[in-house]
Amino acid sequence: MRRPAAALLTLVLTAAVSTAMLAAAPRLTSTPEERAIQALNQRYGLDDPADTELQLYLENLLHGDVGWSIQP
């Protein structure tokens, strides 16, 4: 029982740290393609507050949705 709990705790902490790092990263808004960048940030939810991003990610993870799949 300790290993699954430790694995879950590690997953949640990793998600929280990576979300915080993404929120702290500077946004690219001074380029000529500002509208395109803002549209991508909105599409992928990167303009939401960090706690909202983390909550949405963890909810999706519980439903088995682990993110976008890039198809060639």
Side-chain angles (χ1 to χ4, degrees), residues 18-55:
S18 63
T19 302
M21 289 174 63
L22 283 172
R27 303 285 186 206
L28 299 174
T29 57
S30 61
T31 62
E33 300 87 8
E34 184 174 323
R35 272 191 260 152
I37 291 171
Q38 288 176 350
L40 287 173
N41 284 341
Q42 186 177 14
R43 178 178 179 185
Y44 294 111
L46 299 176
D47 57 345
D48 294 337
D51 59 336
T52 304
E53 290 180 25
L54 179 62
Q55 179 184 359

Side-chain angles (χ1 to χ4, degrees), residues 1-18:
M1 187 63 180
R2 291 179 67 178
R3 281 190 180 188
L8 182 62
L9 179 62
T10 301
L11 178 68
V12 169
L13 288 176
T14 302
V17 169
S18 63

Side-chain angles (χ1 to χ4, degrees), residues 51-70:
D51 59 336
T52 304
E53 290 180 25
L54 179 62
Q55 179 184 359
L56 182 61
Y57 173 74
L58 292 175
E59 286 175 2
N60 288 341
L61 194 63
L62 287 175
H63 293 282
D65 182 7
V66 293
W68 293 86
S69 175
I70 299 174

